[in-house]
Amino acid sequence: MGLKAAIFDLDGVIVFTDKFHYQAWKQMADEMGIYFDEEINNRLRGVSRMDSLEIILERYEGEPLSDARKEELATQKNDTYRELLKTMTPDDVTQEVRDTLAELRRRGVKISLGSSSKNAKFILERVELLDAFDAISDGTNITKSKPDPEVFLKGAEFLGEKPEDCVVVEDAEAGIDAGIAGGMKTAAIGDAVNCGKADYTLTTFADLLDIFV
Ligand code: BG6
Ligand code: MG
């Protein structure tokens, strides 16, 4: 089938930082008197920081906020989030994920990250997984977030591979849509399985080894 590379979403696939995003946004929302819950937090998956803020502000009932104020709120959230990320250790990545990434590489599969997060490298450093990736495409090299395919197309480009030879691994529907829009194969894990659009369904991370036989 000629598949040569795997491009991985980070949050919800390699590590689970949802709870930290939630806590950090919740703190900001509480201070602003904005209703925020886990269901709204689920809508933020794969969405850029500023677009996430706009979703949270749908419930804001005060005077319109200036762009500068919005930047300030996003920075405040990010500062809280980064403090929470500092509690992460290598134990936050399962042995299954480490072993699978190592085995993929042993089989000659190229590996890139494809994350909307500007904190992606910081997270991979914290969990000591940076070396498992041949390329990093993240929130620092894109202008459009998922479902736009930009982050995955850059990942393929960084690896020197054609989109059609890559598999995107995602836990969010917006990410599966992005992979499809980029002309890539897609593998769904976790919540993304329910959208039914992916080429492959992973019950567990190691199932990837059945795709790259
Ligand atoms: C994605 C998360 O990986 O990164 C989103 O799923 C998040 O929830 C986005 O908003 C941007 O993250 P950051 O770290 O740049 O604020
Ligand atoms: Mg995700």
Side-chain angles (χ1 to χ4, degrees):
M1 85 185 74
L3 290 171
K4 294 180 177 153
I7 307 180
F8 292 90
D9 174 48
L10 179 62
D11 292 329
V13 174
I14 305 279
V15 292
F16 296 86
T17 52
D18 260 21
K19 55 186 183 297
F20 298 142
H21 280 296
Y22 176 76
Q23 285 174 46
W25 281 126
K26 177 77 177 150
Q27 188 171 316
M28 186 220 79
D30 284 352
E31 281 172 26
M32 295 284 290
I34 303 168
Y35 179 79
F36 181 66
D37 62 16
E38 305 239 3
E39 209 176 309
I40 301 172
N41 193 57
N42 284 340
R43 288 174 57 203
L44 311 182
R45 263 191 226 142
V47 178
S48 73
R49 196 180 307 160
M50 293 312 286
D51 289 347
S52 298
L53 177 64
E54 291 299 340
I55 290 173
I56 292 166
L57 291 177
E58 286 170 8
R59 301 261 187 160
Y60 177 64
E61 287 168 353
E63 292 294 309
L65 301 174
S66 66
D67 286 350
R69 179 69 180 130
K70 287 181 186 175
E71 285 290 345
E72 207 174 271
L73 291 172
T75 301
Q76 180 193 326
K77 179 267 173 175
N78 195 51
D79 290 346
T80 312
Y81 179 58
R82 295 216 13 144
E83 280 308 310
L84 294 166
L85 290 179
K86 286 183 188 160
T87 65
M88 292 186 86
T89 71
D91 286 343
D92 285 300
V93 172
T94 63
Q95 198 56 46
E96 179 186 2
V97 166
R98 287 184 196 278
D99 291 348
T100 303
L101 291 175
E103 175 61 17
L104 288 173
R105 188 172 257 176
R106 201 190 61 76
R107 293 182 188 185
V109 178
K110 288 192 193 168
I111 298 173
S112 175
L113 192 75
S115 165
S116 309
S117 175
K118 291 183 173 161
N119 294 300
K121 271 193 190 151
F122 181 67
I123 295 168
L124 290 179
E125 276 164 11
R126 291 281 337 159
V127 300
E128 294 177 12
L129 204 63
L130 202 50
D131 289 350
F133 292 84
D134 300 302
I136 303 286
S137 175
D138 64 18
T140 64
N141 61 257
I142 55 167
T143 54
K144 289 160 273 178
S145 64
K146 302 166 190 174
D148 189 282
E150 187 179 11
V151 75
F152 295 137
L153 291 173
K154 286 274 189 241
E157 187 189 316
F158 294 162
L159 292 175
E161 297 295 346
K162 292 192 214 115
E164 61 264 36
D165 294 334
C166 301
V167 175
V168 157
V169 186
E170 261 290 350
D171 72 313
E173 184 172 357
I176 297 292
D177 288 342
I180 294 169
M184 293 151 178
K185 292 278 180 291
T186 54
I189 191 163
D191 278 2
V193 170
N194 300 326
C195 76
K197 298 178 191 167
D199 297 295
Y200 306 100
T201 293
L202 309 178
T203 306
T204 183
F205 195 86
D207 289 346
L208 268 175
L209 299 175
D210 299 334
I211 299 176
F212 292 95
V213 281

PDB file of all heavy atoms in Angstrom, residues 60-73:
ATOM      1  N   TYR A  60     -19.982  34.881  26.867  1.00  0.00           N
ATOM      2  CA  TYR A  60     -19.639  36.124  27.572  1.00  0.00           C
ATOM      3  C   TYR A  60     -20.705  37.174  27.309  1.00  0.00           C
ATOM      4  O   TYR A  60     -21.098  37.407  26.166  1.00  0.00           O
ATOM      5  CB  TYR A  60     -18.270  36.616  27.084  1.00  0.00           C
ATOM      6  CG  TYR A  60     -17.830  37.937  27.673  1.00  0.00           C
ATOM      7  CD1 TYR A  60     -17.600  38.068  29.039  1.00  0.00           C
ATOM      8  CD2 TYR A  60     -17.645  39.049  26.859  1.00  0.00           C
ATOM      9  CE1 TYR A  60     -17.199  39.279  29.578  1.00  0.00           C
ATOM     10  CE2 TYR A  60     -17.234  40.261  27.390  1.00  0.00           C
ATOM     11  CZ  TYR A  60     -17.020  40.376  28.755  1.00  0.00           C
ATOM     12  OH  TYR A  60     -16.625  41.568  29.282  1.00  0.00           O
ATOM     13  N   GLU A  61     -21.187  37.806  28.371  1.00  0.00           N
ATOM     14  CA  GLU A  61     -22.302  38.738  28.201  1.00  0.00           C
ATOM     15  C   GLU A  61     -21.927  40.195  28.445  1.00  0.00           C
ATOM     16  O   GLU A  61     -22.780  41.067  28.396  1.00  0.00           O
ATOM     17  CB  GLU A  61     -23.464  38.319  29.121  1.00  0.00           C
ATOM     18  CG  GLU A  61     -24.143  37.066  28.590  1.00  0.00           C
ATOM     19  CD  GLU A  61     -25.093  36.425  29.588  1.00  0.00           C
ATOM     20  OE1 GLU A  61     -25.138  36.861  30.749  1.00  0.00           O
ATOM     21  OE2 GLU A  61     -25.786  35.473  29.179  1.00  0.00           O
ATOM     22  N   GLY A  62     -20.649  40.477  28.672  1.00  0.00           N
ATOM     23  CA  GLY A  62     -20.226  41.859  28.940  1.00  0.00           C
ATOM     24  C   GLY A  62     -20.017  42.674  27.670  1.00  0.00           C
ATOM     25  O   GLY A  62     -20.398  42.257  26.570  1.00  0.00           O
ATOM     26  N   GLU A  63     -19.389  43.818  27.850  1.00  0.00           N
ATOM     27  CA  GLU A  63     -19.058  44.703  26.715  1.00  0.00           C
ATOM     28  C   GLU A  63     -18.097  43.970  25.765  1.00  0.00           C
ATOM     29  O   GLU A  63     -17.281  43.161  26.224  1.00  0.00           O
ATOM     30  CB  GLU A  63     -18.348  45.963  27.237  1.00  0.00           C
ATOM     31  CG  GLU A  63     -19.229  46.886  28.071  1.00  0.00           C
ATOM     32  CD  GLU A  63     -20.349  47.504  27.233  1.00  0.00           C
ATOM     33  OE1 GLU A  63     -20.046  48.056  26.158  1.00  0.00           O
ATOM     34  OE2 GLU A  63     -21.518  47.403  27.661  1.00  0.00           O
ATOM     35  N   PRO A  64     -18.160  44.255  24.456  1.00  0.00           N
ATOM     36  CA  PRO A  64     -17.231  43.605  23.522  1.00  0.00           C
ATOM     37  C   PRO A  64     -15.771  43.814  23.942  1.00  0.00           C
ATOM     38  O   PRO A  64     -15.418  44.887  24.449  1.00  0.00           O
ATOM     39  CB  PRO A  64     -17.507  44.309  22.196  1.00  0.00           C
ATOM     40  CG  PRO A  64     -18.865  44.904  22.335  1.00  0.00           C
ATOM     41  CD  PRO A  64     -19.071  45.185  23.793  1.00  0.00           C
ATOM     42  N   LEU A  65     -14.963  42.780  23.755  1.00  0.00           N
ATOM     43  CA  LEU A  65     -13.560  42.849  24.180  1.00  0.00           C
ATOM     44  C   LEU A  65     -12.661  43.240  23.013  1.00  0.00           C
ATOM     45  O   LEU A  65     -12.879  42.799  21.877  1.00  0.00           O
ATOM     46  CB  LEU A  65     -13.121  41.479  24.712  1.00  0.00           C
ATOM     47  CG  LEU A  65     -13.924  40.927  25.893  1.00  0.00           C
ATOM     48  CD1 LEU A  65     -13.474  39.503  26.202  1.00  0.00           C
ATOM     49  CD2 LEU A  65     -13.740  41.809  27.123  1.00  0.00           C
ATOM     50  N   SER A  66     -11.673  44.062  23.302  1.00  0.00           N
ATOM     51  CA  SER A  66     -10.719  44.464  22.261  1.00  0.00           C
ATOM     52  C   SER A  66      -9.797  43.281  21.939  1.00  0.00           C
ATOM     53  O   SER A  66      -9.673  42.341  22.738  1.00  0.00           O
ATOM     54  CB  SER A  66      -9.871  45.632  22.751  1.00  0.00           C
ATOM     55  OG  SER A  66      -9.057  45.204  23.831  1.00  0.00           O
ATOM     56  N   ASP A  67      -9.128  43.354  20.780  1.00  0.00           N
ATOM     57  CA  ASP A  67      -8.184  42.290  20.413  1.00  0.00           C
ATOM     58  C   ASP A  67      -7.062  42.197  21.447  1.00  0.00           C
ATOM     59  O   ASP A  67      -6.604  41.102  21.785  1.00  0.00           O
ATOM     60  CB  ASP A  67      -7.589  42.567  19.029  1.00  0.00           C
ATOM     61  CG  ASP A  67      -8.608  42.296  17.926  1.00  0.00           C
ATOM     62  OD1 ASP A  67      -9.672  41.724  18.235  1.00  0.00           O
ATOM     63  OD2 ASP A  67      -8.340  42.670  16.771  1.00  0.00           O
ATOM     64  N   ALA A  68      -6.639  43.359  21.962  1.00  0.00           N
ATOM     65  CA  ALA A  68      -5.555  43.362  22.959  1.00  0.00           C
ATOM     66  C   ALA A  68      -5.990  42.619  24.227  1.00  0.00           C
ATOM     67  O   ALA A  68      -5.219  41.847  24.808  1.00  0.00           O
ATOM     68  CB  ALA A  68      -5.164  44.796  23.290  1.00  0.00           C
ATOM     69  N   ARG A  69      -7.229  42.855  24.635  1.00  0.00           N
ATOM     70  CA  ARG A  69      -7.751  42.182  25.841  1.00  0.00           C
ATOM     71  C   ARG A  69      -7.846  40.661  25.605  1.00  0.00           C
ATOM     72  O   ARG A  69      -7.545  39.867  26.495  1.00  0.00           O
ATOM     73  CB  ARG A  69      -9.122  42.768  26.204  1.00  0.00           C
ATOM     74  CG  ARG A  69      -9.793  42.146  27.404  1.00  0.00           C
ATOM     75  CD  ARG A  69      -9.083  42.461  28.718  1.00  0.00           C
ATOM     76  NE  ARG A  69      -9.747  41.850  29.856  1.00  0.00           N
ATOM     77  CZ  ARG A  69      -9.114  41.118  30.783  1.00  0.00           C
ATOM     78  NH1 ARG A  69      -7.808  40.942  30.728  1.00  0.00           N
ATOM     79  NH2 ARG A  69      -9.790  40.596  31.786  1.00  0.00           N
ATOM     80  N   LYS A  70      -8.263  40.298  24.389  1.00  0.00           N
ATOM     81  CA  LYS A  70      -8.353  38.870  24.069  1.00  0.00           C
ATOM     82  C   LYS A  70      -6.964  38.226  24.120  1.00  0.00           C
ATOM     83  O   LYS A  70      -6.801  37.115  24.631  1.00  0.00           O
ATOM     84  CB  LYS A  70      -8.975  38.666  22.682  1.00  0.00           C
ATOM     85  CG  LYS A  70     -10.472  38.943  22.656  1.00  0.00           C
ATOM     86  CD  LYS A  70     -11.036  38.707  21.269  1.00  0.00           C
ATOM     87  CE  LYS A  70     -12.491  39.111  21.203  1.00  0.00           C
ATOM     88  NZ  LYS A  70     -13.040  38.997  19.836  1.00  0.00           N
ATOM     89  N   GLU A  71      -5.973  38.922  23.591  1.00  0.00           N
ATOM     90  CA  GLU A  71      -4.589  38.421  23.648  1.00  0.00           C
ATOM     91  C   GLU A  71      -4.165  38.217  25.104  1.00  0.00           C
ATOM     92  O   GLU A  71      -3.518  37.236  25.454  1.00  0.00           O
ATOM     93  CB  GLU A  71      -3.620  39.415  22.988  1.00  0.00           C
ATOM     94  CG  GLU A  71      -3.660  39.441  21.471  1.00  0.00           C
ATOM     95  CD  GLU A  71      -3.070  38.172  20.831  1.00  0.00           C
ATOM     96  OE1 GLU A  71      -2.390  37.408  21.539  1.00  0.00           O
ATOM     97  OE2 GLU A  71      -3.328  37.966  19.637  1.00  0.00           O
ATOM     98  N   GLU A  72      -4.554  39.189  25.927  1.00  0.00           N
ATOM     99  CA  GLU A  72      -4.208  39.142  27.347  1.00  0.00           C
ATOM    100  C   GLU A  72      -4.837  37.911  28.017  1.00  0.00           C
ATOM    101  O   GLU A  72      -4.172  37.203  28.791  1.00  0.00           O
ATOM    102  CB  GLU A  72      -4.777  40.411  27.985  1.00  0.00           C
ATOM    103  CG  GLU A  72      -4.081  40.928  29.202  1.00  0.00           C
ATOM    104  CD  GLU A  72      -4.714  42.270  29.589  1.00  0.00           C
ATOM    105  OE1 GLU A  72      -4.239  43.297  29.077  1.00  0.00           O
ATOM    106  OE2 GLU A  72      -5.688  42.280  30.364  1.00  0.00           O
ATOM    107  N   LEU A  73      -6.098  37.654  27.686  1.00  0.00           N
ATOM    108  CA  LEU A  73      -6.798  36.496  28.272  1.00  0.00           C
ATOM    109  C   LEU A  73      -6.159  35.189  27.812  1.00  0.00           C
ATOM    110  O   LEU A  73      -5.980  34.257  28.606  1.00  0.00           O
ATOM    111  CB  LEU A  73      -8.281  36.523  27.886  1.00  0.00           C
ATOM    112  CG  LEU A  73      -9.106  37.641  28.528  1.00  0.00           C
ATOM    113  CD1 LEU A  73     -10.503  37.691  27.916  1.00  0.00           C
ATOM    114  CD2 LEU A  73      -9.206  37.454  30.049  1.00  0.00           C
TER     115      LEU A  73
END
